RNA sequence: GCCCCCGUAGCUCAAUUGGAUAGAGCGGCGGACUUCGGAUCCGCUGGUUGGGGGUUCGAGUCCCCCCGGGGGUACCA
């Protein structure tokens, strides 16, 4: 249950009641703000509504707050409502209700915390979609973790989610990749074949060329060069995709669909969408190229769709691709996760939505800032083409999937991220992820210690210790956390919540003996075992949302 | 030049999108429990939120100017 939403409804009704009673004339549609106060002495929830209304009603905010508070009916989850400070309404959760949530969690299991703001709407999260021309970088890893965690949160919020990887298997970068690879293949067979001017310089291309030479022999050298480049490129593409897939699986990411850019051309969709735009009058031709007339939609400039050479731009592919997402596959909402180096592409995409007659709000683009790698206190520059790469795989091999996922997740997408390789690889035990996992392992240990003690008839209403209450307050926050992650498309909130939950548990553990051997403690032992079980369920769920394992032992 | 993101404790970052006395982790210093895991816990240390104006009951958050970092500004992706 989303208490916040319940409170919003309650306060709104109370406001209407107070307005009727006091004769206030309110402007229509007042949004009732409900927030989490900074300090616990201000209760569990608060609303600054009265302060917002003060000037409009020309009344002291405290008076308004009191009038509203007087109209709020008794509900099971609230202990009391107070008016504090300049005119805040403060809400305090009822201990009976909080303790009762333990039974709720035990009954619902890992479904606890799920909400239904999605109402089964179909949403697609497209993420990573790195060019299959090289291994995934740490930056791709950030993309992967943001996308996958968002997808998990959306599913928990009641959306039907599809994860998709868009394969850029057409276009100029692919061409360059094939040419480079052909050169490396030929070189591996002793030919003097130069790598293209702007080709991919990494060692991995040398290795890949040699691998193909070993597997395929000299047969491609006997083909006309153009055909050979095609053929070697195809093999390379397959190998590269397998490699990418493998690297993503190493951090627990699997896709529902891999979508080929090339398929947009093969089945004629590209032509069809271009024709559609032409009919709608969004196509102009000038300087030998075909343009998308985005200036007509408020854009600062037009964008090329088909170059003078006849080759489509990737923007053109993207239009057809998104047409496919919305019209052919019928997604209600599409979320694309892109690095900051693609931010300039966003306004074009929004213009495209309008041109296709779609509400731009149905396309969300999450832009995350780039990752700066540091080693020995100085920056490591990355480039696939020049070849100096710190791959995602190298990092995962050194520090493990759990730590990598948590570290890449625990920052707002808007935040530039410094990744200190020395810190990550040498001092990984300082990573807060272990703190969270430790809480889970510790719980498992408690149950091992409790053995087969039957606590099923434990009375959760015995739970009233301050540490127990604090833990309960954290447990019931989960639905709100899921909501905010989806509302803001900001999955880092899960990481913070996980730490706070683990902290509440560790404090409880220190101050409250769970399994006691004294006979007089029998009932509280059973009640606490229920609380601990509930905590285990929520911890495991939250770790699962982050794609981090929940170990029984560490 | 123009557009986007950022600037918060020694370091890495939060701050419920305008709310109450700006919080965590790490580092540093000092402590804790003779039964459930010390990868834990507690305390201390630490701030003119880059600077300056403004908007209002109220600003880290919004507006303007300046400083600094990153990204974009291609018939690359």
């Amino acid at each position: 249950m989303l208490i916040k939403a319940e409170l919003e409804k309650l306060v709104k009704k109370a406001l209407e009641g107070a307005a009727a009673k006091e004769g206030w004339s309110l402007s229509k549609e007042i949004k009732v703000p409900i927030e989490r106060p900074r300090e616990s002495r201000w209760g569990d929830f608060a609303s600054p509504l009265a302060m917002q209304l003060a000037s409009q009603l020309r009344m002291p905010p405290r008076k308004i707050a009191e009038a509203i508070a007087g109209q709020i009916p008794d509900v099971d989850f609230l202990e009391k409502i107070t008016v504090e400070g300049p005119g805040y309404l403060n809400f305090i959760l009822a201990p009976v209700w909080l303790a009762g949530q333990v039974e709720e969690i035990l009954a619902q299991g890992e479904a606890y915390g799920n909400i239904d703001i999605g109402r089964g709407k179909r949403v697609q999260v497209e993420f990573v979609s790195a060019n299959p021309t090289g291994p995934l970088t740490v930056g791709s890893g950030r993309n992967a973790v943001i996308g996958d965690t968002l997808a998990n949160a959306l599913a928990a919020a009641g959306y039907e989610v599809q994860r998709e990887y868009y394969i850029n298997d057409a276009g100029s970068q692919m061409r360059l990749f094939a040419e480079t690879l052909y050169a490396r293949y030929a070189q591996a067979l002793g030919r003097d074949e130069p790598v293209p001017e702007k080709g991919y310089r990494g060692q991995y291309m040398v290795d890949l060329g040699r691998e193909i030479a070993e597997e395929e022999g000299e047969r491609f050298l006997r083909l006309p060069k153009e055909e050979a480049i095609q053929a070697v490129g195809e093999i390379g593409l397959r190998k590269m995709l397998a490699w990418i897939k493998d690297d993503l699986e190493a951090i627990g990411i699997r896709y529902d669909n891999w979508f080929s850019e090339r398929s947009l051309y093969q089945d004629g969709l590209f032509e069809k969408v271009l024709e559609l735009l032409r009919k709608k009058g969004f196509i102009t031709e000038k300087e030998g190229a075909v343009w998308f007339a985005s200036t007509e939609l408020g854009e600062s400039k037009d964008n090329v769709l088909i170059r003078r050479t006849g080759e489509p731009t990737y923007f053109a592919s993207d239009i057809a691709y998104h047409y496919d997402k919305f019209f052919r596959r019928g997604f209600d909402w599409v979320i694309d996760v892109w690095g900051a180096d693609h931010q300039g592409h966003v306004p074009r995409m929004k213009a495209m939505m309008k041109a296709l007659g779609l509400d731009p709000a149905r396309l969300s683009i999450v832009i995350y800032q780039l990752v700066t790698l540091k080693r020995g206190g100085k920056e490591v520059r990355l480039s696939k083409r020049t070849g100096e790469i710190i791959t995602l795989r190298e990092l995962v091999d050194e520090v493990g999937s759990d730590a990598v996922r948590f570290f890449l997740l625990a920052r707002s997408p808007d935040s530039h991220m410094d990744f200190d390789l020395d810190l990550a690889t040498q001092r990984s035990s300082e990573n807060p992820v272990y703190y969270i996992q430790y809480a889970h392992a510790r719980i498992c240990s408690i149950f091992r210690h409790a053995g087969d003690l039957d606590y099923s008839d434990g009375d959760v209403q015995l739970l009233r210790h301050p540490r127990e209450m604090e833990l309960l307050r954290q447990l019931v926050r989960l639905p709100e956390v899921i909501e905010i992650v989806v509302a803001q498309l900001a999955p880092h909130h899960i990481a913070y919540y996980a730490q706070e939950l683990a902290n509440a548990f560790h404090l409880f553990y220190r101050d409250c003996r769970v399994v006691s051997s004294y006979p007089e403690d029998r009932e509280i032992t059973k009640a606490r075992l229920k609380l601990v079980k509930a905590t285990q369920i929520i911890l495991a769920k939250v770790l699962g949302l982050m794609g981090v394992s929940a170990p029984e032992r560490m």
Side-chain angles (χ1 to χ4, degrees), chain A residues 138 297 401 458 523:
Chain A
V138 176
L297 295 157
S401 170
E523 292 308 313

Side-chain angles (χ1 to χ4, degrees), chain A residues 147-174:
Chain A
D148 192 51
T149 307
L150 264 182
N152 288 338
L154 285 159
Y159 289 90
E160 189 187 317
V161 183
Q162 192 209 44
R163 286 153 222 259
E164 181 154 293
Y165 191 113
Y166 180 54
I167 307 165
N168 297 105
D169 53 6
S172 56
Q173 293 305 314
M174 199 63 237

Side-chain angles (χ1 to χ4, degrees), chain A residues 291-504:
Chain A
W291 298 70
F292 175 55
S294 29
T295 40
E296 292 183 20
L297 295 157
E299 269 284 89
S300 53
K301 60 179 191 298
D302 290 345
N303 296 99
V304 171
L305 293 177
I306 299 178
R307 302 180 184 107
R308 205 173 319 170
T309 59
E311 219 187 347
T313 61
Y314 95 118
F315 175 50
S317 300
D318 251 9
I319 295 178
Y321 179 38
H322 283 78
Y323 177 93
D324 183 86
K325 293 185 186 197
F326 287 104
F327 289 103
R328 278 188 165 175
R329 293 190 276 166
F331 287 107
D332 298 301
W333 186 19
V334 168
I335 300 171
D336 295 344
V337 183
W338 296 347
D341 52 341
H342 287 67
Q343 38 152 295
H345 191 44
V346 175
R348 289 199 276 282
M349 295 297 284
K350 293 289 185 180
M352 166 217 76
M353 291 294 284
K354 289 185 211 157
L356 293 177
L358 294 165
D359 178 1
R362 287 173 64 193
L363 175 65
S364 295
I365 297 168
V366 177
I367 298 290
Y368 63 92
Q369 297 302 312
L370 302 179
V371 179
T372 306
L373 290 171
K374 286 195 173 151
R375 180 182 282 156
K378 65 175 190 211
E379 198 171 319
V380 184
R381 299 297 293 188
L382 303 179
S383 166
K384 272 185 203 176
R385 246 169 299 175
T386 58
E388 198 203 355
I389 304 174
I390 307 294
T391 65
L392 176 61
R393 192 50 179 259
E394 284 165 355
L395 192 63
V396 172
D397 287 347
E398 279 196 74
V399 291
S401 170
D402 289 339
V404 168
R405 283 199 67 139
F406 188 86
F407 195 89
L408 291 175
L409 181 71
R411 261 120 227 189
S412 150
D414 272 342
S415 166
H416 293 102
M417 196 167 139
D418 275 358
F419 199 117
D420 188 328
L421 288 162
D422 301 320
L423 205 67
T425 53
Q426 292 163 25
R427 298 152 82 175
S428 61
S429 66
E430 286 157 14
N431 193 314
V433 71
Y434 300 105
Y435 176 86
I436 301 159
Q437 291 181 312
Y438 185 75
H440 186 269
R442 195 174 227 182
I443 288 171
C444 294
S445 170
I446 291 172
F447 282 108
R448 283 193 294 270
H449 184 257
D452 55 3
L453 175 63
D454 179 13
Y455 60 93
S456 59
D457 65 342
D459 177 8
V460 294
Q461 291 305 332
L462 295 174
L463 302 169
R464 286 295 185 277
H465 189 282
R467 297 301 191 196
E468 294 166 340
M469 300 314 289
E470 184 47 38
L471 180 52
L472 285 164
R473 289 188 150 87
Q474 289 296 336
L475 291 173
V476 304
R477 273 182 61 203
L478 179 59
E480 269 172 81
V481 174
I482 290 169
E483 192 215 6
I484 198 169
V485 166
V486 169
Q488 299 183 2
L489 299 179
H492 68 284
H493 287 112
I494 298 176
Y496 280 85
Y497 169 66
Q499 288 180 84
E500 285 159 25
L501 175 59
N503 179 240

Side-chain angles (χ1 to χ4, degrees), chain A residues 501-521:
Chain A
L501 175 59
N503 179 240
F505 172 75
H506 286 307
L507 285 168
F508 158 78
Y509 177 87
R510 185 191 55 151
D511 292 346
C512 299
R513 177 78 202 179
V514 179
V515 180
S516 166
S517 51
Y518 303 117
E520 63 270 29
D521 291 338

Side-chain angles (χ1 to χ4, degrees), chain A residues 15-299:
Chain A
L15 173 64
E16 285 160 8
K21 193 176 166 193
E22 310 283 334
W24 300 339
S25 59
L26 296 167
S27 58
K28 302 234 185 303
E29 277 319 300
I30 288 173
K31 172 114 177 74
V32 174
I34 301 289
E35 56 194 41
R36 284 283 191 174
R38 217 188 282 278
E39 289 188 38
S40 57
R41 67 189 165 93
W42 292 319
D44 294 295
F45 293 90
S47 177
L49 174 64
M51 278 113 77
Q52 290 175 9
L53 295 174
S55 64
Q56 191 184 136
L57 297 175
R58 285 188 307 213
M59 277 175 69
R62 288 192 63 107
K63 277 261 187 296
I64 300 170
E66 275 155 20
I68 297 170
Q71 295 290 318
I72 299 175
D74 286 345
V75 286
D76 66 341
F77 60 87
L78 284 184
E79 173 84 343
K80 65 173 175 179
I81 301 158
T82 60
V83 176
E84 306 280 353
Y88 284 95
L89 278 167
N90 286 359
F91 305 91
I92 295 152
L93 292 173
V96 172
W97 181 85
L98 275 168
Q101 288 300 295
V102 170
E103 296 289 4
E104 193 64 28
I105 294 168
L106 297 183
Q108 291 191 33
E110 63 176 27
Y112 184 91
N114 288 356
I115 52 180
D116 192 30
I117 54 177
R119 297 170 195 279
K121 278 196 209 144
R122 297 182 60 229
V123 54
Q124 183 200 60
V125 186
E126 182 219 319
F127 57 105
V128 184
S129 300
N131 276 347
T133 53
L136 296 178
T137 63
V138 176
S140 313
R142 186 174 193 188
N143 189 319
V145 165
I146 289 172
D148 192 51
T149 307
L150 264 182
N152 288 338
L154 285 159
Y159 289 90
E160 189 187 317
V161 183
Q162 192 209 44
R163 286 153 222 259
E164 181 154 293
Y165 191 113
Y166 180 54
I167 307 165
N168 297 105
D169 53 6
S172 56
Q173 293 305 314
M174 199 63 237
R175 170 74 197 177
L176 192 58
F177 169 77
E179 286 171 358
T180 306
L181 186 56
Y182 172 77
R184 293 304 194 191
Y185 157 80
Q187 285 167 5
L189 294 166
R191 297 298 197 281
D192 184 22
E193 185 71 40
V195 169
E197 177 81 17
K198 289 179 171 174
Y200 292 88
R201 297 275 157 187
Q203 176 63 30
Y204 68 94
M205 291 298 280
V206 179
D207 298 341
L208 197 58
R210 188 181 303 121
E211 190 179 313
I212 293 172
E214 279 163 14
E215 289 170 6
E216 306 287 339
E218 298 194 343
R219 64 192 191 91
F220 296 124
L221 294 178
R222 291 189 289 270
L223 293 175
K225 190 168 170 184
E226 186 54 35
E227 273 177 54
I229 288 172
Q230 291 287 330
V232 170
E234 281 311 298
I235 294 170
L237 171 64
R238 277 205 304 279
K239 285 179 179 293
M240 210 49 86
L241 282 174
W243 192 7
I244 288 171
K245 222 172 263 201
D246 201 49
D247 284 359
L248 288 168
E249 284 201 11
I251 52 171
I253 289 170
R254 281 174 182 249
Y255 286 86
D256 301 306
N257 195 35
W258 294 70
F259 190 99
S260 158
E261 177 183 5
R262 218 183 271 168
S263 72
L264 295 167
Y265 298 95
Q266 286 164 348
D267 72 359
L269 183 67
F270 179 80
E271 289 302 328
K272 188 185 158 186
V273 174
L274 202 65
E275 198 44 49
L276 178 72
L277 289 175
R278 199 184 300 275
K279 266 191 206 143
K280 291 190 168 201
F282 291 112
I283 300 292
T284 57
E285 303 200 15
K286 57 189 176 189
E287 299 157 33
V290 177
W291 298 70
F292 175 55
S294 29
T295 40
E296 292 183 20
L297 295 157
E299 269 284 89

